Structures are given as C-alpha cells and as structure tokens.
Amino acid sequence: QLQLVQSGAAVKKPGASVRVSCKASGYDFTNYCIHWVRQAPGQGLDWLGFINPRDNSRIYAQKFQGRVTMTMDTSTKTVFMDLSSLRPDDTAVYFCGRDIGDYYGADVWGQGTTVTVSS
Amino acid sequence: QSVLTQPPSVSGAPGQRVTISCTGSWSNLGGGFDVHWYQQFPGAAPKLLIYGNRNRPSGVPDRFSGSKADTSASLTIIGLQPEDEAVYFCQSNDRSLNGAVFGGGTKLTVL
C-alpha cells in the first residue's frame, strides 16, 4: 500500500552529520516530490525543503541552506536527508512527506525519525 | 516565531463548534497561495486534514471545513467529538522565503 517508511532513531554528537532515509512504496515514485519537515520536542513543524525525483531538483529552506542535502536512489525508491554540523537544537523528530502537487503540502507521511544531538 | 500565526489553544464542549484562525501576510496567504491544515496526535505524524483552502481528503469527516480570505484562513469543526482533541497546524507557501511555512499550532481541548 501507499506508504513512506523512514530509518530508525539516531544519536549524534555536536558537529557530526546524520542521514535519514525515506523509502516510498505503493505509488509512482517519480511523480511526487518528497518534503522533509522536523519537529523539536514540544514545538511546531519546521520545513527543511524538498527533492523532486523526476529531475533531481531540490529546494531548501533558507535557514538550512549549507547544512542540508537531499538525495535519492530511484532504483530503491528511497530519498535521503543529510544534515551536517549538528547542534543540540537540531534534536527533533524528522518526517518525510509526499507532495500533494503544489510543492509545499504533503498528503502521506513517514512515521518520523528521532534524531538526538548530545555530547 | 512562526510565519503564520495561530492561537496556542482553543477549547469546546462535545457537540459544539470551534474555529481555529491562521493569520499570514501578503507574502504567503495573501499572495495567492493556498492554505492546508494538518491534525497531529501526540507521538504521531501530521495528517492532512484540509488542502487547497477547503478540500477534504478521502476519509476526513465533513465536520471539518476550511476557508481563506485575503491574509487569513480558518479551520472550523462542528459537532466537536472527544477524538478531535489534537494539535492543528496551518501551512502555506511564502514568496519571500521561497518555501513552505507553518503556523505554530493550536491545541484543541475537548472539555
């Protein structure tokens, strides 16, 4: 069925990098962009950007440019989100979401991946 | 500080009607961009509740409705039920930021 399945939780030290994966199934992977959104503990939703599997184009949120990289593997229908130079305030649950067609909304979401940054 | 402004909390008794507001600017809601609404339960991913200002995905009860005018949008829930207790987020696109933006979220308590 239509779903996005994310990789498991990660614990990183400040200054390190983290990779979170999002594997799609149940639909035509190349027809929909994939967004990344994060949520710090007790906080709201924060958009990181999206990648378009059709042409490998990406749009990153201004506040994350230079630290975030989104890539994909079309053979496994998997999207990756790398975040570098991690800080304690990057501790959050990271979600991937399938674009609804307007390049900012998402209709199907992954289960979330907890990333903890601590020394 | 979120780009879209929502009240932190609203409440209502079962059966009542509640409205959650979402206020933006001419760079987002007033700039021709649609608003979407999400419902989120603790420990879960957001769920798309309303898209394109007023459209409900399949499976969303018609108790939920949305509207937008100029730089503001609203989510209305009629016939409030205990299972509606959740956090609700609005979302749009922002021309200046060149990307998606969210409201800070509104915690709905069913009394």
PDB file of all heavy atoms in Angstrom, chain A residues 5-35:
ATOM      1  N   VAL A   5       8.377   4.807   4.592  1.00  0.00           N
ATOM      2  CA  VAL A   5       8.969   4.187   5.768  1.00  0.00           C
ATOM      3  C   VAL A   5      10.354   4.776   5.986  1.00  0.00           C
ATOM      4  O   VAL A   5      11.215   4.742   5.097  1.00  0.00           O
ATOM      5  CB  VAL A   5       9.061   2.655   5.610  1.00  0.00           C
ATOM      6  CG1 VAL A   5       9.728   2.045   6.844  1.00  0.00           C
ATOM      7  CG2 VAL A   5       7.674   2.049   5.418  1.00  0.00           C
ATOM      8  N   GLN A   6      10.560   5.316   7.180  1.00  0.00           N
ATOM      9  CA  GLN A   6      11.806   6.011   7.498  1.00  0.00           C
ATOM     10  C   GLN A   6      12.766   5.124   8.276  1.00  0.00           C
ATOM     11  O   GLN A   6      12.371   4.114   8.886  1.00  0.00           O
ATOM     12  CB  GLN A   6      11.504   7.284   8.286  1.00  0.00           C
ATOM     13  CG  GLN A   6      10.644   8.268   7.524  1.00  0.00           C
ATOM     14  CD  GLN A   6      10.406   9.561   8.298  1.00  0.00           C
ATOM     15  OE1 GLN A   6       9.310  10.089   8.300  1.00  0.00           O
ATOM     16  NE2 GLN A   6      11.432  10.084   8.947  1.00  0.00           N
ATOM     17  N   SER A   7      14.013   5.535   8.292  1.00  0.00           N
ATOM     18  CA  SER A   7      15.041   4.817   9.033  1.00  0.00           C
ATOM     19  C   SER A   7      14.869   5.059  10.533  1.00  0.00           C
ATOM     20  O   SER A   7      14.076   5.900  10.967  1.00  0.00           O
ATOM     21  CB  SER A   7      16.427   5.265   8.568  1.00  0.00           C
ATOM     22  OG  SER A   7      16.519   6.691   8.544  1.00  0.00           O
ATOM     23  N   GLY A   8      15.628   4.297  11.313  1.00  0.00           N
ATOM     24  CA  GLY A   8      15.474   4.343  12.758  1.00  0.00           C
ATOM     25  C   GLY A   8      16.159   5.522  13.417  1.00  0.00           C
ATOM     26  O   GLY A   8      16.863   6.308  12.784  1.00  0.00           O
ATOM     27  N   ALA A   9      15.941   5.604  14.726  1.00  0.00           N
ATOM     28  CA  ALA A   9      16.455   6.726  15.505  1.00  0.00           C
ATOM     29  C   ALA A   9      17.980   6.789  15.466  1.00  0.00           C
ATOM     30  O   ALA A   9      18.660   5.775  15.269  1.00  0.00           O
ATOM     31  CB  ALA A   9      15.975   6.606  16.952  1.00  0.00           C
ATOM     32  N   ALA A  10      18.488   8.005  15.631  1.00  0.00           N
ATOM     33  CA  ALA A  10      19.934   8.219  15.623  1.00  0.00           C
ATOM     34  C   ALA A  10      20.330   9.141  16.769  1.00  0.00           C
ATOM     35  O   ALA A  10      19.582  10.060  17.121  1.00  0.00           O
ATOM     36  CB  ALA A  10      20.363   8.826  14.284  1.00  0.00           C
ATOM     37  N   VAL A  11      21.501   8.869  17.325  1.00  0.00           N
ATOM     38  CA  VAL A  11      22.083   9.728  18.354  1.00  0.00           C
ATOM     39  C   VAL A  11      23.433  10.198  17.838  1.00  0.00           C
ATOM     40  O   VAL A  11      24.275   9.376  17.463  1.00  0.00           O
ATOM     41  CB  VAL A  11      22.256   8.989  19.694  1.00  0.00           C
ATOM     42  CG1 VAL A  11      22.891   9.926  20.730  1.00  0.00           C
ATOM     43  CG2 VAL A  11      20.918   8.472  20.195  1.00  0.00           C
ATOM     44  N   LYS A  12      23.623  11.498  17.809  1.00  0.00           N
ATOM     45  CA  LYS A  12      24.847  12.072  17.250  1.00  0.00           C
ATOM     46  C   LYS A  12      25.450  13.086  18.218  1.00  0.00           C
ATOM     47  O   LYS A  12      24.742  13.686  19.033  1.00  0.00           O
ATOM     48  CB  LYS A  12      24.540  12.759  15.907  1.00  0.00           C
ATOM     49  CG  LYS A  12      24.023  11.819  14.836  1.00  0.00           C
ATOM     50  CD  LYS A  12      25.094  10.857  14.379  1.00  0.00           C
ATOM     51  CE  LYS A  12      24.586   9.954  13.282  1.00  0.00           C
ATOM     52  NZ  LYS A  12      25.636   8.995  12.834  1.00  0.00           N
ATOM     53  N   LYS A  13      26.751  13.291  18.054  1.00  0.00           N
ATOM     54  CA  LYS A  13      27.437  14.300  18.849  1.00  0.00           C
ATOM     55  C   LYS A  13      27.432  15.624  18.092  1.00  0.00           C
ATOM     56  O   LYS A  13      27.369  15.645  16.844  1.00  0.00           O
ATOM     57  CB  LYS A  13      28.861  13.853  19.133  1.00  0.00           C
ATOM     58  CG  LYS A  13      28.956  12.634  20.043  1.00  0.00           C
ATOM     59  CD  LYS A  13      30.355  12.427  20.559  1.00  0.00           C
ATOM     60  CE  LYS A  13      30.458  11.194  21.441  1.00  0.00           C
ATOM     61  NZ  LYS A  13      29.495  11.241  22.570  1.00  0.00           N
ATOM     62  N   PRO A  14      27.496  16.717  18.824  1.00  0.00           N
ATOM     63  CA  PRO A  14      27.566  18.019  18.167  1.00  0.00           C
ATOM     64  C   PRO A  14      28.706  18.081  17.159  1.00  0.00           C
ATOM     65  O   PRO A  14      29.798  17.569  17.418  1.00  0.00           O
ATOM     66  CB  PRO A  14      27.805  18.984  19.338  1.00  0.00           C
ATOM     67  CG  PRO A  14      27.186  18.302  20.502  1.00  0.00           C
ATOM     68  CD  PRO A  14      27.445  16.836  20.288  1.00  0.00           C
ATOM     69  N   GLY A  15      28.407  18.665  16.000  1.00  0.00           N
ATOM     70  CA  GLY A  15      29.397  18.772  14.938  1.00  0.00           C
ATOM     71  C   GLY A  15      29.343  17.642  13.941  1.00  0.00           C
ATOM     72  O   GLY A  15      29.900  17.763  12.833  1.00  0.00           O
ATOM     73  N   ALA A  16      28.697  16.551  14.293  1.00  0.00           N
ATOM     74  CA  ALA A  16      28.595  15.400  13.390  1.00  0.00           C
ATOM     75  C   ALA A  16      27.503  15.636  12.346  1.00  0.00           C
ATOM     76  O   ALA A  16      26.835  16.679  12.330  1.00  0.00           O
ATOM     77  CB  ALA A  16      28.294  14.137  14.192  1.00  0.00           C
ATOM     78  N   SER A  17      27.332  14.632  11.465  1.00  0.00           N
ATOM     79  CA  SER A  17      26.279  14.659  10.452  1.00  0.00           C
ATOM     80  C   SER A  17      25.345  13.475  10.675  1.00  0.00           C
ATOM     81  O   SER A  17      25.731  12.471  11.284  1.00  0.00           O
ATOM     82  CB  SER A  17      26.880  14.575   9.045  1.00  0.00           C
ATOM     83  OG  SER A  17      27.698  15.685   8.765  1.00  0.00           O
ATOM     84  N   VAL A  18      24.137  13.592  10.147  1.00  0.00           N
ATOM     85  CA  VAL A  18      23.171  12.499  10.247  1.00  0.00           C
ATOM     86  C   VAL A  18      22.516  12.302   8.886  1.00  0.00           C
ATOM     87  O   VAL A  18      22.332  13.263   8.127  1.00  0.00           O
ATOM     88  CB  VAL A  18      22.103  12.796  11.322  1.00  0.00           C
ATOM     89  CG1 VAL A  18      21.189  13.950  10.921  1.00  0.00           C
ATOM     90  CG2 VAL A  18      21.264  11.553  11.634  1.00  0.00           C
ATOM     91  N   ARG A  19      22.205  11.048   8.584  1.00  0.00           N
ATOM     92  CA  ARG A  19      21.459  10.726   7.366  1.00  0.00           C
ATOM     93  C   ARG A  19      20.183  10.016   7.769  1.00  0.00           C
ATOM     94  O   ARG A  19      20.210   9.025   8.517  1.00  0.00           O
ATOM     95  CB  ARG A  19      22.292   9.839   6.431  1.00  0.00           C
ATOM     96  CG  ARG A  19      21.468   9.192   5.317  1.00  0.00           C
ATOM     97  CD  ARG A  19      22.318   8.576   4.237  1.00  0.00           C
ATOM     98  NE  ARG A  19      22.867   9.614   3.361  1.00  0.00           N
ATOM     99  CZ  ARG A  19      23.372   9.375   2.141  1.00  0.00           C
ATOM    100  NH1 ARG A  19      23.399   8.145   1.660  1.00  0.00           N
ATOM    101  NH2 ARG A  19      23.852  10.358   1.424  1.00  0.00           N
ATOM    102  N   VAL A  20      19.065  10.498   7.259  1.00  0.00           N
ATOM    103  CA  VAL A  20      17.767   9.879   7.470  1.00  0.00           C
ATOM    104  C   VAL A  20      17.224   9.453   6.110  1.00  0.00           C
ATOM    105  O   VAL A  20      17.281  10.225   5.153  1.00  0.00           O
ATOM    106  CB  VAL A  20      16.779  10.846   8.154  1.00  0.00           C
ATOM    107  CG1 VAL A  20      15.440  10.165   8.408  1.00  0.00           C
ATOM    108  CG2 VAL A  20      17.356  11.359   9.470  1.00  0.00           C
ATOM    109  N   SER A  21      16.715   8.231   6.031  1.00  0.00           N
ATOM    110  CA  SER A  21      16.186   7.741   4.765  1.00  0.00           C
ATOM    111  C   SER A  21      14.672   7.623   4.817  1.00  0.00           C
ATOM    112  O   SER A  21      14.065   7.516   5.890  1.00  0.00           O
ATOM    113  CB  SER A  21      16.806   6.396   4.401  1.00  0.00           C
ATOM    114  OG  SER A  21      16.385   5.400   5.313  1.00  0.00           O
ATOM    115  N   CYS A  22      14.074   7.620   3.631  1.00  0.00           N
ATOM    116  CA  CYS A  22      12.612   7.578   3.486  1.00  0.00           C
ATOM    117  C   CYS A  22      12.321   6.743   2.250  1.00  0.00           C
ATOM    118  O   CYS A  22      12.603   7.174   1.132  1.00  0.00           O
ATOM    119  CB  CYS A  22      12.090   9.005   3.348  1.00  0.00           C
ATOM    120  SG  CYS A  22      10.346   9.187   2.929  1.00  0.00           S
ATOM    121  N   LYS A  23      11.789   5.540   2.452  1.00  0.00           N
ATOM    122  CA  LYS A  23      11.545   4.612   1.350  1.00  0.00           C
ATOM    123  C   LYS A  23      10.076   4.633   0.968  1.00  0.00           C
ATOM    124  O   LYS A  23       9.208   4.399   1.816  1.00  0.00           O
ATOM    125  CB  LYS A  23      11.967   3.194   1.729  1.00  0.00           C
ATOM    126  CG  LYS A  23      11.796   2.179   0.611  1.00  0.00           C
ATOM    127  CD  LYS A  23      12.340   0.823   0.997  1.00  0.00           C
ATOM    128  CE  LYS A  23      12.067  -0.221  -0.073  1.00  0.00           C
ATOM    129  NZ  LYS A  23      12.685   0.140  -1.370  1.00  0.00           N
ATOM    130  N   ALA A  24       9.813   4.900  -0.297  1.00  0.00           N
ATOM    131  CA  ALA A  24       8.448   5.012  -0.797  1.00  0.00           C
ATOM    132  C   ALA A  24       7.969   3.706  -1.408  1.00  0.00           C
ATOM    133  O   ALA A  24       8.758   2.952  -1.986  1.00  0.00           O
ATOM    134  CB  ALA A  24       8.369   6.127  -1.838  1.00  0.00           C
ATOM    135  N   SER A  25       6.675   3.456  -1.286  1.00  0.00           N
ATOM    136  CA  SER A  25       6.080   2.296  -1.938  1.00  0.00           C
ATOM    137  C   SER A  25       4.599   2.560  -2.190  1.00  0.00           C
ATOM    138  O   SER A  25       3.983   3.403  -1.532  1.00  0.00           O
ATOM    139  CB  SER A  25       6.248   1.030  -1.082  1.00  0.00           C
ATOM    140  OG  SER A  25       5.597   1.177   0.157  1.00  0.00           O
ATOM    141  N   GLY A  26       4.053   1.851  -3.179  1.00  0.00           N
ATOM    142  CA  GLY A  26       2.620   1.936  -3.439  1.00  0.00           C
ATOM    143  C   GLY A  26       2.191   3.017  -4.410  1.00  0.00           C
ATOM    144  O   GLY A  26       0.995   3.217  -4.598  1.00  0.00           O
ATOM    145  N   TYR A  27       3.151   3.724  -4.996  1.00  0.00           N
ATOM    146  CA  TYR A  27       2.799   4.760  -5.981  1.00  0.00           C
ATOM    147  C   TYR A  27       3.988   4.979  -6.903  1.00  0.00           C
ATOM    148  O   TYR A  27       5.073   4.460  -6.661  1.00  0.00           O
ATOM    149  CB  TYR A  27       2.395   6.067  -5.287  1.00  0.00           C
ATOM    150  CG  TYR A  27       3.536   6.819  -4.619  1.00  0.00           C
ATOM    151  CD1 TYR A  27       4.210   7.834  -5.291  1.00  0.00           C
ATOM    152  CD2 TYR A  27       3.929   6.513  -3.315  1.00  0.00           C
ATOM    153  CE1 TYR A  27       5.258   8.524  -4.683  1.00  0.00           C
ATOM    154  CE2 TYR A  27       4.968   7.199  -2.706  1.00  0.00           C
ATOM    155  CZ  TYR A  27       5.629   8.200  -3.391  1.00  0.00           C
ATOM    156  OH  TYR A  27       6.656   8.878  -2.774  1.00  0.00           O
ATOM    157  N   ASP A  28       3.771   5.767  -7.978  1.00  0.00           N
ATOM    158  CA  ASP A  28       4.839   6.062  -8.919  1.00  0.00           C
ATOM    159  C   ASP A  28       5.801   7.075  -8.291  1.00  0.00           C
ATOM    160  O   ASP A  28       5.505   8.265  -8.195  1.00  0.00           O
ATOM    161  CB  ASP A  28       4.254   6.631 -10.214  1.00  0.00           C
ATOM    162  CG  ASP A  28       5.289   6.758 -11.324  1.00  0.00           C
ATOM    163  OD1 ASP A  28       6.509   6.823 -11.001  1.00  0.00           O
ATOM    164  OD2 ASP A  28       4.912   6.802 -12.492  1.00  0.00           O
ATOM    165  N   PHE A  29       6.966   6.583  -7.894  1.00  0.00           N
ATOM    166  CA  PHE A  29       7.946   7.378  -7.132  1.00  0.00           C
ATOM    167  C   PHE A  29       8.332   8.671  -7.841  1.00  0.00           C
ATOM    168  O   PHE A  29       8.512   9.706  -7.191  1.00  0.00           O
ATOM    169  CB  PHE A  29       9.187   6.510  -6.899  1.00  0.00           C
ATOM    170  CG  PHE A  29      10.323   7.191  -6.199  1.00  0.00           C
ATOM    171  CD1 PHE A  29      10.216   7.550  -4.858  1.00  0.00           C
ATOM    172  CD2 PHE A  29      11.507   7.470  -6.865  1.00  0.00           C
ATOM    173  CE1 PHE A  29      11.275   8.165  -4.204  1.00  0.00           C
ATOM    174  CE2 PHE A  29      12.566   8.077  -6.220  1.00  0.00           C
ATOM    175  CZ  PHE A  29      12.452   8.429  -4.889  1.00  0.00           C
ATOM    176  N   THR A  30       8.452   8.643  -9.169  1.00  0.00           N
ATOM    177  CA  THR A  30       8.972   9.805  -9.884  1.00  0.00           C
ATOM    178  C   THR A  30       7.925  10.908 -10.069  1.00  0.00           C
ATOM    179  O   THR A  30       8.260  11.994 -10.517  1.00  0.00           O
ATOM    180  CB  THR A  30       9.525   9.401 -11.261  1.00  0.00           C
ATOM    181  OG1 THR A  30       8.483   8.756 -12.019  1.00  0.00           O
ATOM    182  CG2 THR A  30      10.702   8.448 -11.111  1.00  0.00           C
ATOM    183  N   ASN A  31       6.691  10.640  -9.717  1.00  0.00           N
ATOM    184  CA  ASN A  31       5.628  11.623  -9.947  1.00  0.00           C
ATOM    185  C   ASN A  31       5.400  12.603  -8.813  1.00  0.00           C
ATOM    186  O   ASN A  31       4.628  13.553  -8.957  1.00  0.00           O
ATOM    187  CB  ASN A  31       4.303  10.915 -10.239  1.00  0.00           C
ATOM    188  CG  ASN A  31       4.202  10.470 -11.687  1.00  0.00           C
ATOM    189  OD1 ASN A  31       5.051  10.810 -12.507  1.00  0.00           O
ATOM    190  ND2 ASN A  31       3.169   9.708 -11.997  1.00  0.00           N
ATOM    191  N   TYR A  32       6.058  12.381  -7.671  1.00  0.00           N
ATOM    192  CA  TYR A  32       5.781  13.210  -6.498  1.00  0.00           C
ATOM    193  C   TYR A  32       7.070  13.640  -5.805  1.00  0.00           C
ATOM    194  O   TYR A  32       7.944  12.807  -5.528  1.00  0.00           O
ATOM    195  CB  TYR A  32       4.937  12.444  -5.481  1.00  0.00           C
ATOM    196  CG  TYR A  32       3.576  12.033  -5.964  1.00  0.00           C
ATOM    197  CD1 TYR A  32       3.410  10.847  -6.680  1.00  0.00           C
ATOM    198  CD2 TYR A  32       2.454  12.817  -5.719  1.00  0.00           C
ATOM    199  CE1 TYR A  32       2.160  10.456  -7.131  1.00  0.00           C
ATOM    200  CE2 TYR A  32       1.205  12.429  -6.167  1.00  0.00           C
ATOM    201  CZ  TYR A  32       1.063  11.253  -6.874  1.00  0.00           C
ATOM    202  OH  TYR A  32      -0.172  10.863  -7.318  1.00  0.00           O
ATOM    203  N   CYS A  33       7.159  14.934  -5.488  1.00  0.00           N
ATOM    204  CA  CYS A  33       8.267  15.423  -4.684  1.00  0.00           C
ATOM    205  C   CYS A  33       8.144  14.868  -3.266  1.00  0.00           C
ATOM    206  O   CYS A  33       7.061  14.485  -2.830  1.00  0.00           O
ATOM    207  CB  CYS A  33       8.241  16.954  -4.614  1.00  0.00           C
ATOM    208  SG  CYS A  33       8.439  17.765  -6.207  1.00  0.00           S
ATOM    209  N   ILE A  34       9.271  14.843  -2.573  1.00  0.00           N
ATOM    210  CA  ILE A  34       9.301  14.429  -1.168  1.00  0.00           C
ATOM    211  C   ILE A  34       9.812  15.595  -0.318  1.00  0.00           C
ATOM    212  O   ILE A  34      10.892  16.136  -0.591  1.00  0.00           O
ATOM    213  CB  ILE A  34      10.205  13.203  -0.950  1.00  0.00           C
ATOM    214  CG1 ILE A  34       9.617  11.973  -1.647  1.00  0.00           C
ATOM    215  CG2 ILE A  34      10.382  12.932   0.555  1.00  0.00           C
ATOM    216  CD1 ILE A  34       8.342  11.424  -1.027  1.00  0.00           C
ATOM    217  N   HIS A  35       9.030  15.959   0.682  1.00  0.00           N
ATOM    218  CA  HIS A  35       9.391  17.018   1.610  1.00  0.00           C
ATOM    219  C   HIS A  35      10.019  16.440   2.875  1.00  0.00           C
ATOM    220  O   HIS A  35       9.741  15.298   3.251  1.00  0.00           O
ATOM    221  CB  HIS A  35       8.144  17.809   2.045  1.00  0.00           C
ATOM    222  CG  HIS A  35       7.461  18.541   0.948  1.00  0.00           C
ATOM    223  ND1 HIS A  35       7.791  19.829   0.593  1.00  0.00           N
ATOM    224  CD2 HIS A  35       6.450  18.156   0.126  1.00  0.00           C
ATOM    225  CE1 HIS A  35       7.005  20.215  -0.406  1.00  0.00           C
ATOM    226  NE2 HIS A  35       6.195  19.223  -0.709  1.00  0.00           N
TER     227      HIS A  35
END
